[in-house]
Amino acid sequence: MPVEKAAVLDALKVVKDPDLHKDIVSLGFIKDLEIDAGRVAFTIELTTPACPVKDQMRDQARAAVMQLAGVSAVDVRMTARVREAVGGDSTRSTVPGVKNIIAVGAGKGGVGKTTVAVNIAIALAKCGGKVGMIDADIYGPNVPIMLGMKGQLTTDGQKIVPAEKYGLQVISMAFLTADEAPIIWRGPMLHGALQQFFREVRWVDLDYLVIDLPPGTGDVVLSLSQTVPVAGAIVVTTPQQVSLADSRRAVAMYKKLNIPPLGIVENMSYYVCSNCRHEADIFGHGGGERMAAELNVPFLGRVPIYQPIREGGDAGVPLMISEPDSPAAQAFMAAAERAAAQVSIASYNRPATIPLTIVR
């Protein structure tokens, strides 16, 4: 008997997206379904290339269709189309060329926020996403140092062209000032610089634009919330109480500014001795995860104290490039995947736009 498309789609309903909790047929993930005698081919289009279970979903889909009578072979292609998690409104317009803006912040300095932002951005790019970075820590623009970037920006005659490295499109105040020149600006000047980074830069087809924010709850975060629609914020903390107290304030600030917290990253979570492999909780244990549970915010994972993280940041070769298979790099990858999953969930929970009907 010939294989029917309806039978194939019905079989595929056993495959469910673990984050959206619906089957891939109902979600519209199945594309380009073709049947040639007993050979079945189709594409599964996910909501993010940073899906940690895409291989399992592919294998489950293939196995489900192979059980149908008359099927001799199944070809499953995996792809992704990132959706916008939040759109513009009357006061905040979307950024041309950018689908989702992800802020990375911290309640206090010294917790490794920029290190986390850089490695998460590279992790998203390594998964196949198109990613950019804005170094919005205007007073301490360190993203170019961690990426090993120098030089001046160029223009295409109309807009600024971002610098590129490791698959990232990057803008930083460090590209516009001398290396040791202090930036002594008041709030309105910070707001103007941030506006320029969003509106006067030629961002090209970005799925995710990662913003490395200055620590604390100051002018830049307020300007960000008032200027563009933000998909969400990642809050970086360390396990000790001093950091956790400030991180709670940061989470509360994002919620008050209608920026949904995507999750908590506990950086410098523990130290593993390179000789005996003993784990030492230098700054305490589990504080970030407990805080996430108390605040009902996703916990994105723990990143250990690992010397090559610091060495890579100083040398301009982040850990996701120098040691992508190390446990610490895998922790960054897991945090990136979980953050991307939160963006995907938000994109499906986004209220549908109701078309305006004009009665004449």
Side-chain angles (χ1 to χ4, degrees), residues 25-240:
V25 177
S26 300
L27 289 168
F29 287 2
I30 304 302
K31 308 290 183 181
D32 304 322
L33 174 58
E34 298 178 352
I35 301 175
D36 182 8
R39 302 182 65 86
V40 179
F42 55 88
T43 297
I44 300 178
E45 184 183 78
L46 301 175
T47 56
T48 175
C51 176
V53 296
K54 57 186 175 185
D55 291 341
Q56 295 94 310
M57 293 175 71
R58 178 199 60 207
D59 295 343
Q60 188 180 2
R62 180 183 291 113
V65 177
M66 280 297 299
Q67 293 178 0
L68 294 175
V71 173
S72 58
V74 179
D75 177 25
V76 184
R77 300 175 294 272
M78 302 298 294
T79 186
R81 182 179 66 86
V82 177
R83 295 160 45 116
E84 292 183 357
V86 59
D89 53 33
S90 59
T91 59
R92 302 174 303 170
S93 58
T94 57
V95 179
V98 177
K99 289 182 179 178
N100 294 294
I101 295 172
I102 298 176
V104 180
K108 69 190 306 298
V111 299
K113 167 187 57 62
T114 301
T115 299
V116 171
V118 166
N119 281 282
I120 282 181
I122 294 176
L124 291 171
K126 289 175 76 71
C127 288
K130 296 180 179 179
V131 186
M133 280 200 77
I134 288 180
D135 187 354
D137 192 350
I138 304 296
Y139 296 130
N142 294 323
V143 168
I145 294 175
M146 294 191 175
L147 293 174
M149 304 175 74
K150 292 185 178 180
Q152 300 296 315
L153 298 173
T154 61
T155 72
D156 61 4
Q158 294 181 321
K159 290 191 174 184
I160 300 169
V161 178
E164 295 193 30
K165 195 166 186 181
Y166 302 133
L168 306 179
Q169 300 174 37
V170 183
I171 285 292
S172 171
M173 183 58 65
F175 295 141
L176 306 175
T177 60
D179 289 345
E180 297 181 1
I183 300 172
I184 307 171
W185 286 359
R186 293 186 181 274
M189 297 179 71
L190 296 174
H191 180 77
L194 200 61
Q195 284 275 25
Q196 186 177 28
F197 286 169
F198 285 123
R199 306 300 179 192
E200 299 181 25
V201 173
R202 181 74 67 188
W203 300 111
V204 181
D205 299 328
L206 295 183
D207 296 317
Y208 308 103
L209 178 57
V210 178
I211 315 296
D212 179 39
L213 294 172
T217 56
D219 288 334
V220 171
V221 183
L222 183 59
S223 292
L224 179 70
S225 69
Q226 295 172 338
T227 301
V228 293
V230 182
I234 297 171
V235 177
V236 182
T237 188
T238 53
Q240 76 267 40

Side-chain angles (χ1 to χ4, degrees), residues 321-358:
I321 300 297
S322 63
E323 296 186 20
D325 297 324
S326 65
Q330 291 304 304
F332 284 127
M333 178 62 75
E337 291 172 343
R338 291 164 185 157
Q342 293 301 312
V343 174
S344 294
I345 293 170
S347 74
Y348 271 85
N349 292 336
R350 176 183 173 186
T353 301
I354 300 176
L356 178 64
T357 301
I358 300 177

